[in-house]
Amino acid sequence: MANYYNIDDILTEEEVEQGAKVELPLWLAQELCLRQAVSISVPACFNQKTRLEIQADAACVDLRSRSPYFYEFGCKIAPLVGDKTVEVLLLSAFKIRYKEILTKAYTAAHTATSKFLTLLTKEETNLYEAAQSSMAAFKKWRKGGPRLQRASVLGRKRKPIE
Amino acid sequence: MAGQSDPHISLLSAQEVEFMAEDELIEIVPNMRMDSLNFICGDFGPFLPQIATEVPLWLAVALKKRGKCAIRPPQWMSVENLTRILEGERDSQGAFQALPFHYVEISTLLFDHARDDIPDMYMVRSLVEDIRDVRVHKVETSLEKFSGTSAVKIPNLSAMEVNIIRPFVGRALQAFYKHDNPEKIPDVDRASSGQTRVPNNEPREDMSEGGKIVPWMIIYSKNIQLDQASKVIFFALQRPLRR
């Protein structure tokens, strides 16, 4: 009966009171929710204050401080808490922030955007960097330069065989 | 290597796109006599002085570098045509004017290697650069209209323009897809590695002759992809000797 890997077994040893509120990692909460051992409430990063800020101006909200994986976390937590509004919130936030990333990535100078970058989540940063690097690669190609590189082994002096 | 593509950022580097553009045909006027050349991509020539003939761009550039020919700039690279295209680009907000798929690369190569063959070189060059800038700006504004995973259609986009926006658009569409359909989130890593690993897995067992590194195993896997090959080589070195 007692099993090292049995999560219920571990938890009984921890003796969590019924009705107590505890913070758990998502993976653990997910498992426990599937066994109907716990019910999950909406995490703090999707609270009313954040929602109002996103409605006001999604592009200026500091989502990274809420959660660096804001969207992924939202996608995973939404079916667990059974809150359809989280998905709507994510989509509307991403739509607006996408446009902001687009204009910043292709037009603005790199120095002007450093403050904006600190607000982005991991996914958004990847998006921004993909745009920046492809544009930089194109400009580098346009500028030209040697098309062939000298291999490092060339030009070395050969040692005499003896 | 300088021109090698980075699989994480973009599918092709600008140098690779340029390499593909070099297969486009262009007219040259040779000043030497030479028999026809038989390539895998076709037969070109014979080359007779002052008789124009069509060759791939890479051959034209190579001959030009040796002073064996003059390159005839393509029809679309005239000042009148480019001025008309530039006006068209500025007038229409959404649509793009029809230009050769590799116009950025072809014009760059000709500006670099055949400047004495292009009449009004500086005018043509600045017109092409203006057209390119207008178009790139237009691509960015049309990307702003994305708001879901509906199909995206931008006709007349050129190879280099597509290559610039590809990494960004790919990621963005994936994110839109994810948020539109939260139920069916594509697990990209698992899906792609699963697909590519399957063909690798099968021959491994057959090839493992008691844990020796079998040379043809590495050759075989080089056919798939470079990073896959390194994975398989690593696997082969790791395998313990059973005998």
Side-chain angles (χ1 to χ4, degrees):
Chain A
M1 162 96 192
N3 185 345
Y4 184 80
Y5 292 107
N6 191 335
I7 197 69
D8 299 322
D9 202 47
I10 296 170
L11 277 182
T12 44
E13 282 171 24
E14 293 275 332
E15 281 183 48
V16 178
E17 264 181 58
Q18 245 188 10
K21 272 192 179 179
V22 283
E23 265 196 6
L24 295 176
L26 178 62
W27 60 269
L28 183 54
Q30 214 169 0
E31 283 301 312
L32 291 176
C33 188
L34 284 178
R35 288 149 208 245
Q36 301 185 331
V38 295
S39 67
I40 301 175
S41 56
V42 182
C45 57
F46 302 103
N47 61 13
Q48 200 57 35
K49 186 167 168 270
T50 312
R51 285 175 197 226
L52 285 176
E53 275 180 42
I54 287 175
Q55 274 167 22
D57 188 359
C60 299
V61 186
D62 184 358
L63 287 188
R64 184 186 281 186
S65 70
R66 305 287 201 295
S67 162
Y69 302 96
F70 188 80
Y71 297 104
E72 292 84 348
F73 186 45
C75 283
K76 287 193 174 163
I77 206 85
L80 294 179
V81 296
D83 190 348
K84 288 274 177 213
T85 57
V86 172
E87 288 159 13
V88 180
L89 177 83
L90 290 180
L91 184 59
S92 67
F94 185 74
K95 269 184 193 170
I96 295 166
R97 291 167 72 88
Y98 160 78
K99 276 180 198 164
E100 199 65 22
I101 296 164
L102 178 73
T103 48
K104 288 262 164 45
Y106 279 117
T107 54
H110 199 71
T111 46
T113 54
S114 55
K115 199 178 160 228
F116 173 72
L117 277 180
T118 59
L119 310 179
L120 300 181
T121 69
K122 206 89 176 166
E123 187 182 351
E124 290 166 341
T125 315
N126 284 343
L127 199 57
Y128 175 86
E129 273 165 9
Q132 276 263 315
S133 65
S134 67
M135 199 63 183
F138 169 71
K139 282 182 178 153
K140 198 177 156 208
W141 169 78
R142 186 65 207 90
K143 227 189 280 167
R147 295 186 67 193
L148 301 173
Q149 276 189 343
R150 199 182 166 84
S152 57
V153 289
L154 293 175
R156 268 189 222 155
K157 267 194 181 173
R158 277 199 194 172
K159 277 184 191 167
I161 295 171
E162 281 171 284
Chain B
M1 253 196 278
Q4 205 168 25
S5 55
D6 185 341
H8 300 290
I9 296 172
S10 162
L11 225 53
L12 294 167
S13 70
Q15 284 87 350
E16 283 166 322
V17 178
E18 184 190 81
F19 181 80
M20 290 188 288
E22 287 179 341
D23 285 341
E24 296 285 310
L25 294 182
I26 195 161
E27 222 175 35
I28 62 163
V29 182
N31 57 19
M32 83 310 190
R33 194 177 289 272
M34 187 166 68
D35 288 339
S36 58
L37 297 167
N38 307 315
F39 297 141
I40 291 174
C41 56
D43 299 340
F44 302 100
F47 301 92
L48 299 165
Q50 303 311 315
I51 310 285
T53 180
E54 271 203 334
V55 293
L57 188 52
W58 62 266
L59 182 59
V61 170
L63 289 174
K64 175 77 192 170
K65 272 187 191 165
R66 287 160 180 74
K68 301 287 187 198
C69 74
I71 296 178
R72 276 199 187 155
Q75 293 279 315
W76 57 267
M77 260 176 82
S78 66
V79 174
E80 303 87 63
N81 186 42
L82 289 176
T83 320
R84 197 175 48 75
I85 286 176
L86 181 59
E87 278 169 13
E89 294 287 0
R90 285 190 172 144
D91 287 343
S92 64
Q93 279 306 309
F96 290 86
Q97 300 293 309
L99 269 172
F101 187 54
H102 287 295
Y103 85 98
V104 181
E105 304 91 302
I106 293 173
S107 59
T108 308
L109 279 168
L110 292 185
F111 294 149
D112 287 352
H113 299 289
R115 53 184 65 208
D116 51 330
D117 291 334
I118 305 168
D120 304 318
M121 154 84 180
Y122 289 100
M123 190 68 188
V124 171
R125 177 187 232 160
S126 70
L127 277 169
V128 170
E129 277 174 11
D130 284 352
I131 290 171
R132 201 191 60 219
D133 291 344
V134 173
R135 284 170 67 110
V136 169
H137 183 72
K138 256 158 75 171
V139 173
E140 284 156 21
T141 46
S142 65
L143 288 186
E144 279 179 32
K145 289 176 197 136
F146 278 21
S147 55
T149 45
S150 56
V152 184
K153 199 177 170 190
I154 311 176
N156 286 335
L157 214 56
S158 81
M160 195 56 89
E161 289 153 2
V162 171
N163 203 52
I164 292 172
I165 58 167
R166 183 185 285 121
F168 176 80
V169 172
R171 279 174 187 276
L173 284 179
Q174 214 168 22
F176 273 125
Y177 178 79
K178 193 169 73 182
H179 297 313
D180 263 355
N181 315 282
E183 300 302 317
K184 23 180 180 168
I185 298 163
D187 198 339
V188 182
D189 290 336
R190 205 176 295 164
S192 63
S193 62
Q195 275 170 1
T196 45
R197 235 176 250 159
V198 170
N200 276 359
N201 269 338
E202 286 169 351
R204 262 183 208 162
E205 293 310 308
D206 309 332
M207 286 187 294
S208 61
E209 293 179 355
K212 270 190 233 163
I213 301 163
V214 191
W216 65 266
M217 173 164 154
I218 293 162
I219 296 164
Y220 163 85
S221 56
K222 261 189 187 159
N223 279 335
I224 312 170
Q225 247 183 31
L226 210 61
D227 54 338
Q228 294 284 327
S230 59
K231 262 184 218 162
V232 176
I233 293 167
F234 179 60
F235 175 83
L237 294 174
Q238 252 190 340
R239 200 177 187 91
L241 289 163
R242 282 207 203 111
R243 236 170 251 172

